[in-house]
Amino acid sequence: MTVIDDYLAGYDGEHRRLMDQLRALIEQLAPQAEQAMAWGMPTYKVNGNLVHFAAGKRHVGFYPGADGVALVAERADAMGLKRSKGAIQFPLDRPLPVELVTEVVRFRLEQQLAKRR
């Protein structure tokens, strides 16, 4: 078991469904990412933090940092998603916005890989 498995074991229902989908998508898009826990959240790292996620009271929070949120801010707003400078909330009663997450993870991966250059 990984540290992320341990975190997810504490959840069921819609939280678990959404986090399992989010995890699978991140791992598909960034298979080289290291799994870790940071700030109490499942974290994926490539040359530092790539993205985090965590269960909220009525949502799953996705934490791609300020640049990742800024990339999709207008679309997130149009979709009615709550967001802050570094986080986007995915409500439990809605499907995971796969295209939005895909765009953000790919963008963040490019940013993190550029740090090697």
Side-chain angles (χ1 to χ4, degrees):
M1 285 187 68
T2 68
V3 292
I4 294 178
D5 290 326
D6 292 341
Y7 178 88
L8 293 174
Y11 295 92
D12 60 9
E14 292 304 304
H15 278 102
R16 181 63 188 260
R17 177 192 63 77
L18 207 54
M19 288 191 291
D20 282 344
Q21 290 176 347
L22 187 54
R23 176 189 193 181
L25 185 56
I26 294 166
E27 290 178 5
Q28 174 189 346
L29 296 167
Q32 72 274 50
E34 173 190 345
Q35 296 183 23
M37 291 294 290
W39 300 286
M41 296 184 287
T43 300
Y44 288 87
K45 295 184 173 202
V46 174
N47 295 331
N49 293 330
L50 179 67
V51 295
H52 316 272
F53 66 86
K57 189 171 185 178
R58 292 184 182 89
H59 68 275
V60 169
F62 178 56
Y63 304 88
D67 290 347
V69 173
L71 178 72
V72 296
E74 287 182 21
R75 280 202 331 221
D77 291 347
M79 296 170 78
L81 299 174
K82 291 183 182 178
R83 65 177 176 86
S84 65
K85 182 178 178 181
I88 303 171
Q89 294 182 3
F90 302 137
L92 298 178
D93 62 350
R94 292 174 53 190
L96 182 69
V98 173
E99 290 180 16
L100 185 120
V101 173
T102 297
E103 184 175 348
V104 171
V105 172
R106 285 183 175 152
F107 171 77
R108 288 289 299 127
L109 186 57
E110 284 180 24
Q111 280 189 316
Q112 292 304 104
L113 290 174
K115 287 183 176 184
R116 287 188 191 170
R117 297 179 188 151

